Amino acid sequence: MKRNSISAVLFALVLGLVPFFAGTAHADESAAWEALREGRAVLMLRHALAPGTGDPVNFKVDDCSTQRNLNDTGREQARAWKAYLAEHGIDKARVFSSQWCRCLDTEHGMDVGPVEKMLSLNSFFRNRGKAEMQTEQTIAIVNGMEPGPPVVLVSHQVNITALTGIYPSSNEGVVIALPLSDNPTILARVSPTD
């Protein structure tokens, strides 16, 4: 075969595989949503957009004025979760959040159920030495939960990366199969703002 013919065949094969992989990704995401609805998975998401990195030097957990907070885009992103979850059959959820205001504000924007603060979801950006301990605590708490409505965890990039190895964008979620472990099964990466 001539070089141009080989290139044409390879190009046609790649084009033929694109719909296959796109269909597979959609099927995998559908299975992830089903697992979340049925209590076989949890959704862990990074708070919506709060410009900046880390926290100011004068950070106080009980004073939002000392923290990075959601901007207008972030508040809009947080509100987008409600409709996005409803599209996937989730109108109510058990929501657990970091104590940081940007996480609590993300949860309030989602408006899918009452929130409970979970200290192990707090950011350890400034104290990476807490990563292993907090990750183990999150795993134990989630695995000890009774059956019920879907579980949503609102946290920070460092927490999600420590648990899953994924570096999520602001407002991106990861559907993780239960039981959680130090090597969890990732079912899908999701976001209402894709």
Side-chain angles (χ1 to χ4, degrees):
M1 252 189 208
K2 294 182 181 177
R3 178 177 288 233
N4 288 344
S5 297
I6 292 172
S7 296
V9 168
L10 289 174
F11 184 71
L13 282 172
V14 168
L15 283 180
L17 290 175
V18 168
F20 170 78
F21 285 117
T24 301
H26 180 71
D28 290 346
E29 191 173 305
S30 293
W33 286 110
E34 182 178 344
L36 182 61
R37 285 190 304 272
E38 293 177 355
R40 296 181 288 112
V42 296
L43 171 61
M44 186 175 197
L45 62 104
R46 183 179 178 185
H47 58 78
L49 185 62
T53 304
D55 285 296
V57 176
N58 64 338
F59 170 87
K60 293 179 186 161
V61 74
D62 58 349
D63 184 353
C64 294
S65 71
T66 66
Q67 302 181 32
R68 278 176 42 224
N69 293 293
L70 303 186
N71 62 8
D72 289 341
T73 301
R75 286 186 286 279
E76 186 177 311
Q77 289 176 340
R79 288 189 297 269
W81 277 102
K82 185 173 182 79
Y84 185 63
L85 290 170
E87 284 174 24
H88 293 92
I90 299 170
D91 295 317
K92 297 287 180 203
R94 293 177 285 170
V95 184
F96 300 87
S97 176
S98 158
Q99 292 177 287
W100 272 231
C101 295
R102 58 188 174 267
C103 292
L104 292 168
D105 289 345
T106 298
E107 180 283 324
H108 292 306
M110 294 173 72
D111 189 31
V112 292
V115 65
E116 186 175 327
K117 295 174 185 174
M118 185 185 293
L119 301 185
S120 65
L121 296 176
N122 287 351
S123 176
F124 44 76
F125 182 83
R126 284 185 151 177
N127 189 352
R128 304 294 172 110
K130 291 184 174 183
E132 186 175 338
M133 176 192 70
Q134 284 185 226
T135 302
E136 289 174 1
Q137 288 174 344
T138 297
I139 290 169
I141 292 167
V142 170
N143 288 344
M145 289 182 183
E146 295 293 323
V151 173
V152 176
L153 309 171
V154 185
S155 193
H156 306 265
Q157 173 269 310
V158 290
N159 301 66
I160 297 167
T161 302
L163 177 62
T164 67
I166 291 173
Y167 190 105
S169 301
S170 293
N171 210 49
E172 181 180 14
V174 183
V175 181
I176 312 166
L178 291 174
L180 296 185
S181 70
D182 58 2
N183 186 23
T185 300
I186 306 305
L187 300 178
R189 295 176 71 165
V190 298
S191 174
T193 54
D194 282 343

